[in-house]
Amino acid sequence: MVAALDIQVTKVERSKLSEINLDNLPFGKYFTDHMLEAEYENGKWTNVEIKPYQPLLLDPSLAAIHYGQSIFEGIKAYKDAAGNAFIFRPYDNLKRFNLSALRMNMPEVPEEIFIEGMRRLIEVDKEWIPGKKEHSLYIRPFMFATDCMLGVRPSTTYKFLIILSPTGPYFPRPMKIRVEEKYTRAVKGGVGFAKNAGNYGGSLLAATEAQAEGYDQVLWTDAVEHKWLQEVGMMNVFFVLKDKVVTPSLEDGTILNGVTRNSVITVLKDMGADVEERPVHVNEIVAAHKTGELKEVFGTGTAATIAYVETLAYGKYEMNFSEKDWELSTEVKRRLTAIRDKELPDTNNWLFNI
Ligand code: COI
């Protein structure tokens, strides 16, 4: 239980919910009636408010726009068959959010604002949680610098907001990805592990070029050799080999510590799989494909959940997979969904009741 939060709530006069079909939703396009906003000034958080979803009025010299102190999270809320709403692993996102804040020289957001504010906001908008399979209420907490100045220094004021988006699947079909050998997403000592806006802005050109070549996303590699695999677009990546599952380790700080990545590793281990978190070299994957030992490749992320990979290309060498190959990924997805649907026990306390 967190401390009682002094929070002002102003509700909309008329909900927009009836204008939206909750059974047919693209990712991240529609937003609920309310949002949470809090301000940081003089070293503390104040003015925590839930209010009608609305545009922000921003000064053109806003520090976040010029120098990129801007971080976010992605979390999902669901409702069970009885209509009870719950959030999936919000404390893990709080932890990661505050690690991102630390790296970007921003203040931490306390649990009573992040978790309790989120809980109260969802309580207000809980009718917006879709019930359909593969649908959820996507929660987007974010923080940005609000000092108005052009000098390069950490801002002294910030805004923290939470917005909610009823949402369908991010990738409605299996993905085609290719190993990126020109651009770099992250280096040791950099900001790769942080969920800061710039990591996503910096990835767009590579993805656009890959899309022009017929792929959906790139698989990022290290900056020096372009051989050590990191993550895909906005997902962590897993390779199912004959007798084990491997995924790039978090050790060098270049990839995101995905909450879904961690859930998948836990479920795989519960299933008795041998999971290795370690550096993964592209040659190992290509060699395993050539001997038939590479069985499946899949991505994991909050937005994407589990994304099947149909094609992984390394230069001109293409590794192709189809529905009949996605055995382990389908079973992991089934188990994760069953935990969320409360058909399997929540032994790890991942479900946080609203
Ligand atoms: C998420 O999986 O929540 C992400 O952050 C991906 C997002 C950029 C769409």
Side-chain angles (χ1 to χ4, degrees):
M1 219 26 209
V2 291
L5 179 64
D6 183 14
I7 177 166
Q8 192 191 319
V9 181
T10 312
K11 293 199 185 165
V12 290
E13 280 173 13
R14 191 183 148 270
S15 171
K16 302 173 294 203
L17 182 56
S18 62
E19 294 160 25
I20 287 166
N21 175 3
L22 287 186
D23 282 343
N24 183 18
L25 292 164
F27 177 84
K29 183 162 190 270
Y30 300 108
F31 298 95
T32 64
D33 288 323
H34 300 90
M35 64 188 201
L36 177 135
E37 189 173 329
E39 282 164 10
Y40 182 86
E41 56 190 24
N42 301 321
K44 57 182 195 320
W45 286 100
T46 59
N47 299 335
V48 189
E49 264 187 278
I50 290 174
K51 59 187 185 183
Y53 185 94
Q54 59 194 266
L56 302 171
L57 187 63
L58 302 176
D59 193 281
S61 68
L62 194 87
I65 299 174
H66 296 272
Y67 305 125
Q69 277 186 296
S70 176
I71 62 171
F72 69 95
E73 272 301 325
I75 310 174
K76 280 180 173 170
Y78 302 85
K79 65 181 177 202
D80 63 19
N84 303 308
F86 59 91
I87 313 175
F88 192 70
R89 304 190 68 173
Y91 283 95
D92 296 86
N93 294 86
L94 167 64
K95 200 166 149 201
R96 189 173 66 187
F97 189 78
N98 281 335
L99 284 175
S100 301
L102 186 67
R103 179 62 183 88
M104 297 304 289
N105 212 338
M106 300 164 85
E108 289 193 356
V109 173
E111 178 180 332
E112 64 267 25
I113 297 180
F114 192 97
I115 300 282
E116 178 60 7
M118 183 184 303
R119 195 189 69 71
R120 301 266 290 274
L121 177 64
I122 296 176
E123 208 167 45
V124 171
D125 277 342
K126 66 174 179 297
E127 298 308 320
W128 288 79
I129 304 177
K132 196 179 164 190
K133 286 246 174 268
E134 311 253 347
H135 286 52
S136 59
L137 187 69
Y138 184 77
I139 307 165
R140 173 52 66 90
F142 60 106
M143 168 169 46
F144 59 90
T146 53
D147 276 6
C148 298
M149 50 104 196
L150 294 182
V152 182
R153 59 160 173 76
S155 183
T156 60
T157 61
Y158 295 85
K159 265 189 197 298
F160 171 71
L161 288 98
I162 305 178
I163 54 175
L164 307 173
S165 176
T167 234
Y170 196 96
F171 297 114
R173 56 184 174 78
M175 300 182 72
K176 294 181 196 295
I177 59 179
R178 71 146 167 73
V179 175
E180 178 59 50
E181 295 180 85
K182 179 162 95 173
Y183 300 111
T184 297
R185 175 185 173 276
V187 293
K188 284 183 196 173
V191 293
F193 67 89
K195 215 160 166 65
N196 64 312
N199 277 344
Y200 295 79
S203 75
L204 299 176
L205 181 60
T208 301
E209 290 185 9
Q211 281 153 17
E213 295 161 28
Y215 300 101
D216 299 300
Q217 268 297 347
V218 301
L219 171 51
W220 292 104
T221 51
D222 70 287
V224 180
E225 298 176 69
H226 284 301
K227 299 252 183 234
W228 296 96
L229 305 177
Q230 294 181 338
E231 64 178 54
V232 178
M234 30 188 223
M235 296 182 300
N236 294 112
V237 66
F238 286 76
F239 303 93
V240 182
L241 303 175
K242 195 171 119 233
D243 53 355
K244 56 182 171 252
V245 182
V246 296
T247 190
S249 61
L250 304 172
E251 245 160 62
D252 69 3
T254 56
I255 67 171
L256 200 74
N257 182 358
V259 176
T260 310
R261 174 188 183 277
N262 179 273
S263 307
V264 164
I265 291 173
T266 306
V267 168
L268 281 169
K269 287 185 175 166
D270 285 349
M271 287 165 64
D274 181 6
V275 186
E276 292 179 3
E277 295 178 68
R278 59 164 168 81
V280 185
H281 197 281
V282 67
N283 290 352
E284 175 189 356
I285 299 305
V286 169
H289 181 258
K290 287 185 173 158
T291 59
E293 290 191 1
L294 177 63
K295 304 292 179 196
E296 299 173 55
V297 180
F298 62 93
T300 64
T302 299
T305 59
I306 296 209
Y308 299 116
V309 173
E310 186 174 77
T311 301
L312 168 61
Y314 178 47
K316 293 206 176 347
Y317 188 74
E318 281 206 345
M319 296 163 255
N320 293 306
F321 307 88
S322 65
E323 209 173 333
K324 66 175 179 4
D325 299 312
W326 298 318
E327 274 179 33
L328 197 65
S329 42
T330 300
E331 179 55 15
V332 173
K333 189 171 178 174
R334 189 192 69 74
R335 288 186 185 222
L336 267 180
T337 309
I339 295 169
R340 285 198 314 255
D341 289 348
K342 302 187 177 168
E343 286 159 7
L344 278 179
D346 176 24
T347 46
N348 299 292
N349 286 323
W350 285 342
L351 311 186
F352 174 85
N353 289 324
I354 303 275

